[in-house]
Amino acid sequence: MGLTKTEIFTDKQNQLATFLKAMAHPARIAILQRILISNTCICGDLVGELGLAQATISQHLKELKNAGIIQGTIEGVSVCYCINPKTWKLLETQLGAFLAEYKGETACC
């Protein structure tokens, strides 16, 4: 696999790409939607809701946590996850600004 040469891109470009890469799986979107709907921390109830193996869900949670999109705390034998509000706001701002760069239809294509 080739190098991505991330150093030639801005910090904001790299950061947005990291967020989007972490979210770029339907299971991760479903996990985030579940957290958003509950509007609280979730602790281990994703297996029954998503129909995926615990190990698979753990891997997806790990990717989201490594990107800083969610945060976790240990409560007894389980780990509870919630949205990281600072990162979520940053993601909302950066993605919104990126999408707003589109100026509308042109006659070129």
Side-chain angles (χ1 to χ4, degrees):
M1 197 181 275
L3 297 175
T4 59
K5 296 189 178 185
T6 56
E7 69 276 357
I8 66 171
F9 302 105
T10 68
D11 288 343
K12 281 188 177 184
Q13 289 168 331
N14 282 306
Q15 188 174 48
L16 183 57
T18 298
F19 292 153
L20 294 177
K21 181 179 178 185
M23 295 173 66
H25 191 286
R28 295 178 196 161
I29 296 296
I31 289 168
L32 290 171
Q33 287 175 323
R34 175 63 182 96
I35 295 171
L36 291 168
I37 288 168
S38 68
N39 198 29
T40 186
C41 290
I42 56 168
C43 303
D45 55 348
L46 291 170
V47 173
E49 292 186 30
L50 298 180
L52 298 171
Q54 180 62 52
T56 302
I57 290 176
S58 293
Q59 185 61 37
H60 289 305
L61 288 167
K62 179 183 173 187
E63 292 297 325
L64 292 168
K65 188 173 182 190
N66 286 344
I69 297 170
I70 62 173
Q71 54 192 8
T73 57
I74 298 172
E75 292 187 8
V77 295
S78 65
V79 180
C80 297
Y81 291 96
C82 61
I83 297 293
N84 181 331
K86 290 180 182 179
T87 302
W88 195 260
K89 186 64 178 170
L90 181 61
L91 174 60
E92 180 183 25
T93 301
Q94 288 185 356
L95 186 56
F98 173 70
L99 294 174
E101 289 178 14
Y102 178 64
K103 305 300 182 216
E105 293 184 35
T106 63
C108 67
C109 298

